């Protein structure tokens, strides 16, 4: 089932999400619905707060980036097969010199900006069967994970922009929260709920 994606401005996107246990109700169903929602919106990542749940789950499928000819053969191969669910994730380390990449977000449609992030991470997480893993990622894979990880920490990519950039996109963000935007996937707009 495709779930509505929570738009910018909803308080759930600002909450630090909570860990869950293996007996979280209907976990398998939630994960299936999240995959369906992400693919339905042509996303490469989705976090539970983006479907209104303040819990520490996110998923990524970086295969769309595998077509990028600017990347090395090795990186394209890794991205082609990287499809994963991360539960109760904790980034243990981020290292290297920050680099810029143009990011977007399903909760903030039509806004894309360059964001600086470190190129290498080590992350500890549980998979959907609650097996524990500690893995390192670099490059675009690390970036997609960092972006989704920020969601479970209550951080949006727009928070990482300069104050000038933030001022320039303020009107767009206000319109998104009011639902004054065309999107081709289901969304839930915080300002519409208030009946304004």
């Amino acid at each position: 089932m495709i779930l509505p994606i929570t738009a910018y401005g909803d308080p759930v996107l600002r909450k630090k999400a909570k860990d869950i246990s293996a007996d979280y109700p209907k976990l398998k169903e939630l994960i299936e619905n999240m995959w369906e929602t992400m693919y339905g919106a042509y996303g490469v990542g989705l976090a539970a707060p983006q479907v209104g749940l303040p819990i520490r789950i996110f998923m990524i499928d970086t295969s769309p980036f595998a077509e990028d000819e600017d990347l090395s053969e090795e990186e394209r191969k890794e991205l082609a097969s990287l499809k994963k669910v991360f539960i109760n994730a904790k980034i243990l380390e981020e290292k290297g010199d920050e680099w810029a990449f143009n990011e977007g977000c399903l909760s903030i449609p039509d806004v894309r900006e360059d964001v600086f992030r470190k190129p290498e991470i080590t992350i500890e997480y549980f998979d959907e069967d609650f097996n524990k893993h500690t893995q390192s990622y670099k490059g675009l894979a690390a970036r997609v994970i960092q972006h989704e990880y920020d969601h479970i920490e209550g951080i949006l990519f727009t928070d990482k922009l300069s104050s000038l950039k933030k001022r320039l996109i303020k009107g767009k963000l206000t319109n998104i929260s009011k639902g004054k935007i065309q999107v081709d996937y289901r969304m839930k707009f915080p300002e519409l709920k208030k009946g304004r």
Side-chain angles (χ1 to χ4, degrees):
M1 184 177 83
I2 291 184
L3 307 167
I5 290 174
T6 303
Y8 178 90
D10 192 299
V12 75
L13 295 173
R14 293 299 183 188
K15 284 187 178 131
K16 194 173 157 98
K18 302 254 185 284
D19 281 356
I20 62 163
S21 59
D23 58 2
Y24 185 83
K26 296 187 174 171
L27 180 60
K28 288 269 187 257
E29 190 182 318
L30 171 64
I31 289 169
E32 264 171 50
N33 291 343
M34 283 178 68
W35 281 123
E36 203 178 327
T37 302
M38 184 184 95
Y39 291 130
Y42 304 103
V44 292
L46 186 69
Q50 292 181 276
V51 292
L53 298 170
I55 56 175
R56 294 182 82 82
I57 299 182
F58 66 86
M59 52 196 38
I60 63 162
D61 179 348
T62 56
S63 57
F65 290 123
E67 306 302 309
D68 188 339
E69 288 175 6
D70 293 340
L71 302 172
S72 71
E73 186 62 37
E74 183 192 355
E75 192 171 4
R76 291 203 338 235
K77 214 146 103 187
E78 182 196 9
L79 293 168
S81 61
L82 184 55
K83 178 183 172 180
K84 248 180 201 165
V85 174
F86 294 78
I87 298 175
N88 301 345
K90 285 183 183 52
I91 288 184
L92 306 175
E93 185 182 23
E94 294 180 295
K95 62 184 186 189
D97 296 327
E98 289 194 339
W99 61 295
F101 186 80
N102 199 258
E103 292 189 21
C105 178
L106 296 177
S107 293
I108 313 174
D110 290 351
V111 175
R112 296 197 67 85
E113 294 290 343
D114 283 350
V115 177
F116 285 85
R117 297 185 189 273
K118 291 189 187 294
E120 289 183 55
I121 62 162
T122 301
I123 189 166
E124 181 184 275
Y125 66 96
F126 292 90
D127 62 26
E128 60 264 53
D129 299 316
F130 264 80
N131 299 311
K132 195 174 192 176
H133 303 268
T134 302
Q135 275 173 299
S136 295
Y137 294 94
K138 55 183 193 278
L140 261 180
R143 178 171 291 269
V144 175
I145 292 167
Q146 286 163 313
H147 178 107
E148 297 310 324
Y149 182 81
D150 278 353
H151 275 300
I152 63 172
E153 291 290 310
I155 298 165
L156 299 171
F157 84 94
T158 48
D159 299 343
K160 297 183 178 292
L161 304 176
S162 69
S163 47
L164 172 64
K165 276 270 160 65
K166 284 180 188 164
R167 281 202 303 277
L168 292 173
I169 61 169
K170 192 173 190 286
K172 261 187 176 175
L173 296 177
T174 302
N175 284 341
I176 291 168
S177 66
K178 290 180 176 170
K180 294 182 180 172
I181 185 163
Q182 287 300 125
V183 272
D184 52 8
Y185 49 87
R186 278 179 72 200
M187 285 196 85
K188 198 165 80 187
F189 300 100
E191 297 294 324
L192 282 182
K193 286 193 300 203
K194 295 177 188 165
R196 283 186 192 161

